[in-house]
Amino acid sequence: MDALRRHTLLIIILGSLVISLAMGLRHGFGLFLEPMSSDLGWGREVFAFALALQNLIWGLSQPFSGALADRFGAARIVVVGGLLYALGLAMMGLSDSALGMSMSAGLLIGLGLSGTTFSVILGAVGRAVPPEKRSLAMGIVSAAGSFGQFAMLPGTLGLLEWLGWSAALLVMGGLAALMVPLGGMLRDRPSPRLASDLSLGAALDEAAGHRGFWLLCMGFFVCGFQVVFIGVHLPGYLVDSGIAVQVGSTVLALVGLFNILGTYTAGWLGGFLSKPRLLTWLYLIRGMVITAFLVVPLSPASAYLFGIAMGLLWLSTVPLTNGIVASVFGVRHLSMLGGIVFLFHQLGSFMGVWLGGYFYDLNGDYDLVWRLAILLSVAAAALHWFIDEVPVKRQASAGAEA
């Protein structure tokens, strides 16, 4: 039992460190939008499209990296993901064309993120932790990603101001390479196969026929749209309004700091309250916070308050959403099914970050996308209200693996 507890603790610690690095590095990408676009003579859509492509590639590859992690364990997937992430950052620092930006920031980093973030890591945690503690453990690891966002953002800004955007990205590539040895130590054990386990195909069929699974997917689309639009375009939005770039950096750091509390609390509450109901309220409150931010006169103080409020709601969806997948379908194919749900999150991310750049270049402002983010909050709240997290009922021999 002591050995089992040590194994579980090691999974949580190493998974937390990997997610802290992966999400912390990614959280600062919005700071590079203005300097790269200005120095290279791009409109904002070029940078925005590359980040949109990153989110799309991340989402499209996530079910496959998740399925591989379910089959072979998370360690190998994290190692490969860390290598791709580091290479993508290095190439991004050397990019001088739209194609180079799309290949580095888009393709390589997108693939790297799919192997080093939530679906793979939370799948490993879900397999290692007892069901009654699963939601809390997922909240702890998700909160670690939030801490990485808070802790690494000031450093990213410091590197940007000290070295310029190109050298700063090369240094960040070196930091990303630390995920390789951390992944190598992540001794995740795939769930032992039982006679009652579903095959991969049967698990996909079961999820495809479950109404709640699709409602969860559509709701997570909204999460991706909102958080990536805000994370990438908020610094530029504030600069356009005459507010110093340091304020935007501080706001994103506040998002990361308060997301630690919000994500941990969401995971804790999900252990004894209805996770779908919690998600309904979370999306409604998000919509109210965005509305208040746009209505109240903009100032550094209002921006800081927005960062605090959004931080409490930022990744709180992650342990609740993955917890619902685990509760309904079990943990045997958790990384793969969680990856499919996350694909919809990334489709939303693609739309949020790209439409932000597109409509900015078209209209000179972000007003339309802010309004769309509010309407989507209401839609997501309604979708989650109709989700039931009761485990599916299976025949003992149905879909059993040979």
Side-chain angles (χ1 to χ4, degrees):
M1 184 60 71
D2 288 341
L4 181 60
R5 281 199 293 266
R6 285 195 298 271
H7 170 72
T8 300
L9 182 60
L10 185 63
I11 292 288
I12 291 174
I13 291 173
L14 291 173
S16 296
L17 290 173
V18 170
I19 282 191
S20 293
L21 280 169
M23 297 303 294
L25 290 167
R26 174 181 175 271
H27 198 55
F29 287 164
L31 300 176
F32 291 85
L33 184 152
E34 195 281 326
M36 289 188 72
S37 299
S38 297
D39 288 356
L40 297 171
W42 298 335
R44 291 191 184 183
E45 187 184 358
V46 172
F47 187 97
F49 178 79
L51 270 289
L53 180 62
Q54 175 192 113
N55 285 281
L56 184 61
I57 295 296
W58 182 6
L60 289 171
S61 59
Q62 191 67 82
F64 299 99
S65 60
L68 290 171
D70 287 331
R71 179 73 180 272
F72 301 108
R76 299 176 187 178
I77 310 306
V78 173
V79 168
V80 174
L83 286 171
L84 292 172
Y85 203 144
L87 180 61
L89 281 166
M91 289 183 61
M92 182 179 172
L94 301 174
S95 294
D96 59 3
S97 67
L99 177 61
M101 186 69 178
S102 294
M103 292 297 294
S104 58
L107 177 63
L108 289 176
I109 295 180
L111 290 171
L113 283 164
S114 75
T116 56
T117 48
F118 293 111
S119 295
V120 170
I121 300 298
L122 293 185
V125 172
R127 288 186 286 271
V129 177
E132 66 275 11
K133 297 181 180 179
R134 188 177 293 144
S135 181
L136 177 59
M138 288 181 174
I140 291 171
V141 177
S142 299
S146 307
F147 176 76
Q149 293 178 354
F150 165 70
M152 297 187 69
L153 196 66
T156 300
L157 179 61
L159 287 172
L160 186 59
E161 293 177 338
W162 177 38
L163 300 173
W165 61 264
S166 181
L169 286 166
L170 294 177
V171 173
M172 290 166 67
L175 291 173
L178 294 174
M179 288 184 280
V180 175
L182 290 171
M185 294 185 287
L186 190 67
R187 301 301 182 192
D188 170 45
R189 301 167 184 164
S191 299
R193 295 184 178 183
L194 304 175
S196 59
D197 280 340
L198 295 181
S199 66
L200 179 62
L204 287 169
D205 288 341
E206 181 180 74
H210 194 282
R211 184 189 68 165
F213 183 77
W214 294 112
L215 294 176
L216 200 63
C217 289
M218 290 185 283
F220 221 27
F221 174 96
V222 175
C223 179
F225 185 101
Q226 293 172 331
V227 300
V228 178
F229 165 67
I230 293 171
V232 173
H233 291 286
L234 182 63
Y237 173 77
L238 295 175
V239 168
D240 291 345
S241 301
I243 295 177
V245 66
Q246 289 81 3
V247 174
S249 173
T250 302
V251 171
L252 293 181
L254 287 170
V255 168
L257 176 62
F258 282 88
N259 193 26
I260 299 171
L261 175 61
T263 307
Y264 175 84
T265 302
W268 172 66
L269 290 173
F272 56 89
L273 295 178
S274 166
K275 288 183 277 292
R277 296 293 185 271
L278 288 171
L279 285 165
T280 289
W281 285 107
L282 190 152
Y283 282 107
L284 281 176
I285 296 170
R286 261 197 199 175
M288 290 187 284
V289 168
I290 295 172
T291 301
F293 177 60
L294 298 178
V295 170
V296 172
L298 186 60
S299 67
S302 71
Y304 294 146
L305 288 173
F306 177 71
I308 292 170
M310 283 302 299
L312 293 171
L313 308 166
W314 195 254
L315 294 181
S316 301
T317 57
V318 173
L320 297 174
T321 299
N322 283 273
I324 292 172
V325 175
S327 295
V328 175
F329 301 105
V331 299
R332 174 65 184 152
H333 299 287
L334 176 56
S335 293
M336 185 268 294
L337 293 177
I340 294 173
V341 178
F342 190 74
L343 167 60
F344 282 79
H345 182 283
Q346 296 311 100
L347 292 173
S349 299
F350 176 90
M351 295 303 296
V353 69
W354 175 66
L355 286 178
Y358 175 78
F359 283 115
Y360 182 89
D361 286 350
L362 188 66
N363 302 323
D365 58 49
Y366 294 110
D367 291 352
L368 180 60
V369 187
W370 282 118
R371 294 191 186 99
L372 186 56
I374 294 169
L375 292 174
L376 287 173
S377 275
V378 178
L383 290 171
H384 285 93
W385 187 262
F386 296 101
I387 294 175
D388 188 347
E389 59 179 318
V390 174
V392 293
K393 296 180 179 179
R394 298 170 180 152
Q395 297 295 329
S397 60
E401 294 180 315

